[in-house]
Amino acid sequence: MNGLAIRAEGLTKRYGDVPAVDGLNLSIPAGSFFGLLGPNGAGKTTTIHMLSTLIRPSAGEAWVAGHSVRTESLAVRSSIGVVFQENALDHRLTVAENLRFAGRLNGLSSREIRQRSDELLELFGLAGHRDRPVAALSGGMRRALDIARGMIHRPRVLFLDEPTIGLDLPARRAIWRHIGRLRASLGITVFLSTHYLEEATDCDEVAFLSNGRIVERGAPGPLIAQLGRCIVEIETDRPAELAKRLEPRLGPVLVEADRVHLRCEDEPGALLQAELASLGSAMRWRRPNLNDVFLWVNRAQTDRRQAA
Amino acid sequence: MIVRPVLGVLERETLKLLRERGRLVSAMARPLLWLLVIGAGFAATRGAGAAEYQSFLVPGVIGMTLLFGAVLAALATVYDKESGVMRMLVIAPVAHHWIVLAKALGAAAVAILQALMLLALLALLGYVSTELSIPLLAVGLIGTAFTCASLGMLIAAWSRTLENYATLMNFVIFPVFFLSGSLYPVQMLPDALRLAAAVNPFTYGVDLLKHAAIAGPSAAFDPDFSAVLDLAVLAGFSAAALFIASLRFSRETAYEPLVHRLAGRRGE
Ligand SMILES: Nc1ncnc2c1ncn2[C@@H]1O[C@H](COP(=O)(O)OP(=O)(O)O)[C@@H](O)[C@H]1O
Ligand SMILES: [Mg+2]
């Protein structure tokens, strides 16, 4: 499987006439960390379900670990681990029993299961909880266990569908530590979907999905760098009006709720600061991040649509 | 390697059974109630033959344990559909008909476990004869349990939620029990009921258990059919039921509705 872990060509899923995923092309190198980003309803889950053979594409084809998702579903399923948006655990069984069940379903022997469970529970900080029922675990621990469940058969590719959704900040951080350690120790390919864009900063490559189509892709660093070094946000009651006034002088601006965003090559000087601050009720500047990439891509899309 | 996934399902079913004490207690209490209360009451109204009728009831109440145990365990698949467990099953590298078969085997296994416990209890109470045929008993237990489990899988394949649980009890499990040779010999039933019993696969399971002469040979209550016919009907029904359930199940997984429910998009 040297080369690509995941390849998709024109992958499409339609519901009625409405495409949930529309002509997706992907090539994800083995061992890399890929992030599929987009708001709710963008088509992330549908993409993951097609790649993991759970739903059938309406058109197009994809290969995971070299196997076709259309014709070799069992081979695909044995080389992937999937952590669904909602837990795939039996809440009435204990931590160890859940891993044992998942291991058995994946054809592992008792010895393999015991050994890997120990490793994974250690790695995920659950070693002291092996005999507790899942129902008694916190949300963060359940999520960690669910990832361990998805890794019990040592898949080459791990799909994570919004792995931190519904978790508090410490639990989210813990999940990211676990995933980082997994990647470091096993060299697996990780396919992440999330709408918390800032979580994808460590990805090797990200793709922004909007209404089932990829609207931007690339490495997070360059994508962020191309926005400049600084984003200025001005809070105001009349964002549209302010945007119209600023645009001719300061270049493209973007309106997000009650804020106007400006891109600057550098931090604004004292004079400009004072002026901008006087325009709205509050003003601040900061470094751009992946959220900004998404906002500016959307803005460009809207412009293009209006021009057409 | 299909053995390990099947083993995994069996282990989980057994764990669940041992953990649910209430299920075990009712699995023992229900048949004993029938045997002791109904059996004795029936004999009292007839004036005689209490012991004999109770002996007749023994295969029937063992069948009852198998029926309730297997159908309820198989119906737990509906709970799996609603919870996370089905996600684990559908993502496993196992063809979906194997999952149906594994679930049926698991349900049959826990039913047999319950029947064996009941048998031990009945032996203590003196209802089990030393003249019983162990091979026929084994075949009867396995055949009946697997048939009831297949019936349960067939129902589970069509059930979306467990809300219709009471309906299933009233319209499936009880009729299957009453319209069989469990309480009366089939030949003694009126025509309509005899016909119903004849098309009820459970009848043949209980009949097979009668062949085993658990409570000792009793000329008054001979089995109604030959053991070979019993086995043929049980095997035929199970195969057909599992085949249909597999078709239904794989259609549900390959073509989405199940996956959508799993993705938490209920009602869309
Ligand atoms: N079974 C379905 N029937 C109709 N539309 C669906 C179905 N499943 C998903 N969709 C639609 O497809 C789009 C993408 O959904 P999804 O993949 O769940 O997005 P995401 O995971 O990015 O939030 C949404 O508009 C959703 O409403
Ligand atoms: Mg989703």
Side-chain angles (χ1 to χ4, degrees), chain A residues 177-237:
Chain A
R177 264 200 315 279
H178 302 329
I179 294 171
R181 266 187 246 151
L182 262 185
R183 287 192 357 96
S185 62
L186 299 174
I188 50 171
T189 310
V190 175
F191 185 111
L192 162 78
S193 100
T194 182
H195 72 273
Y196 299 127
L197 307 190
E198 64 286 11
E199 292 189 334
T201 312
D202 290 338
C203 287
D204 299 312
E205 194 194 350
V206 295
F208 288 89
L209 202 61
S210 172
N211 297 316
R213 287 170 163 276
I214 293 182
V215 290
E216 180 71 280
R217 68 204 312 167
L223 285 176
I224 294 169
Q226 95 198 5
L227 290 180
R229 232 166 301 181
C230 178
I231 298 281
V232 180
E233 289 181 23
I234 308 168
E235 231 170 84
T236 160
D237 302 337

Side-chain angles (χ1 to χ4, degrees), chain A residues 232-235 268 272-274 276-278 280-285:
Chain A
V232 180
E233 289 181 23
I234 308 168
E235 231 170 84
L272 187 58
Q273 268 183 46
L276 292 176
S278 71
S281 52
M283 193 267 294
R284 67 187 189 103
W285 67 88

Side-chain angles (χ1 to χ4, degrees), chain A residues 13 15 45-46 49 52-56 74 77-78 80-82 84-94 97-98 100-102 104-110 112 149, chain B residues 1 4-9 11-12 15-16 19-20 76 79-80 83-85 87-96 253-256 259-266:
Chain A
K13 179 70 201 180
Y15 289 109
T45 297
T46 306
H49 283 175
S52 53
T53 79
L54 295 184
I55 64 179
R56 205 173 275 280
L74 291 186
R77 289 212 289 278
S78 48
I80 62 173
V82 181
F84 297 91
Q85 215 168 313
E86 284 180 60
N87 285 337
L89 298 170
D90 188 338
H91 290 208
R92 295 173 304 182
L93 298 186
T94 66
E97 286 162 357
N98 265 284
R100 182 172 174 83
F101 183 50
R104 282 299 202 197
L105 288 177
N106 280 285
L108 303 187
S109 71
S110 282
E112 287 168 314
R149 190 269 313 151
Chain B
M1 271 304 273
R4 284 171 181 165
V6 172
L7 264 180
V9 173
E11 279 173 9
R12 174 170 169 262
L15 270 178
K16 273 185 355 193
R19 218 153 276 175
E20 289 168 26
Y79 164 84
D80 292 347
S83 72
V85 182
R87 281 179 212 120
M88 265 200 262
L89 293 172
V90 295
I91 200 61
V94 175
H96 294 140
T253 38
Y255 300 129
E256 283 111 67
V259 171
H260 293 313
R261 232 166 327 131
L262 296 180
R265 258 185 239 107
R266 292 185 179 84

Side-chain angles (χ1 to χ4, degrees), chain A:
Chain A
M1 200 187 61
N2 46 18
L4 296 182
I6 299 171
R7 186 154 74 89
E9 282 176 9
L11 199 63
T12 299
K13 179 70 201 180
R14 274 183 230 99
Y15 289 109
D17 287 338
V18 189
V21 173
D22 194 2
L24 212 63
N25 295 318
L26 293 170
S27 32
I28 301 174
S32 69
F33 184 13
F34 179 85
L36 187 63
L37 313 181
N40 282 326
K44 304 181 295 296
T45 297
T46 306
T47 304
I48 289 185
H49 283 175
M50 281 194 282
L51 293 175
S52 53
T53 79
L54 295 184
I55 64 179
R56 205 173 275 280
S58 316
E61 171 64 294
W63 296 264
V64 177
H67 307 289
S68 156
V69 299
R70 281 179 178 279
T71 57
E72 299 168 282
S73 57
L74 291 186
V76 170
R77 289 212 289 278
S78 48
S79 34
I80 62 173
V82 181
V83 178
F84 297 91
Q85 215 168 313
E86 284 180 60
N87 285 337
L89 298 170
D90 188 338
H91 290 208
R92 295 173 304 182
L93 298 186
T94 66
V95 168
E97 286 162 357
N98 265 284
L99 290 182
R100 182 172 174 83
F101 183 50
R104 282 299 202 197
L105 288 177
N106 280 285
L108 303 187
S109 71
S110 282
R111 238 192 54 215
E112 287 168 314
I113 292 174
R114 225 169 306 125
Q115 184 198 336
R116 291 184 195 181
S117 299
D118 287 347
E119 282 170 23
L120 286 165
L121 292 179
E122 190 64 45
L123 189 70
F124 287 176
L126 288 169
H129 303 278
R130 22 178 345 125
D131 297 320
R132 289 180 72 189
V134 171
L137 299 183
S138 71
M141 287 190 214
R142 276 184 210 176
R143 216 352 90 110
L145 174 61
D146 202 24
I147 299 175
R149 190 269 313 151
M151 285 302 300
I152 190 87
H153 55 300
R154 299 225 174 115
R156 315 288 303 270
V157 182
L158 177 65
F159 290 93
L160 298 167
D161 195 2
E162 313 244 18
T164 55
I165 203 164
L167 298 184
D168 58 17
L169 198 59
R172 280 164 65 172
R173 292 230 175 91
I175 293 294
W176 285 115
R177 264 200 315 279
H178 302 329
I179 294 171
R181 266 187 246 151
L182 262 185
R183 287 192 357 96
S185 62
L186 299 174
I188 50 171
T189 310
V190 175
F191 185 111
L192 162 78
S193 100
T194 182
H195 72 273
Y196 299 127
L197 307 190
E198 64 286 11
E199 292 189 334
T201 312
D202 290 338
C203 287
D204 299 312
E205 194 194 350
V206 295
F208 288 89
L209 202 61
S210 172
N211 297 316
R213 287 170 163 276
I214 293 182
V215 290
E216 180 71 280
R217 68 204 312 167
L223 285 176
I224 294 169
Q226 95 198 5
L227 290 180
R229 232 166 301 181
C230 178
I231 298 281
V232 180
E233 289 181 23
I234 308 168
E235 231 170 84
T236 160
D237 302 337
R238 298 195 207 92
E241 211 168 282
L242 180 61
K244 216 172 282 164
R245 259 174 59 202
L246 291 178
E247 192 136 45
R249 242 185 75 207
L250 298 170
V253 300
L254 174 155
V255 175
E256 188 210 11
D258 62 345
R259 277 168 207 197
V260 176
H261 291 216
L262 293 173
R263 284 172 5 189
C264 304
E265 254 330 300
D266 269 306
E267 295 185 1
L271 260 180
L272 187 58
Q273 268 183 46
E275 189 199 338
L276 292 176
S278 71
L279 292 173
S281 52
M283 193 267 294
R284 67 187 189 103
W285 67 88
R286 54 175 174 78
R287 312 205 70 99
N289 57 35
L290 277 175
N291 266 313
D292 297 307
V293 175
F294 186 66
L295 292 174
W296 286 90
V297 166
N298 269 350
R299 179 185 180 282
Q301 291 275 108
T302 319
D303 279 358
R304 219 168 298 146
R305 234 171 291 139
Q306 278 164 358

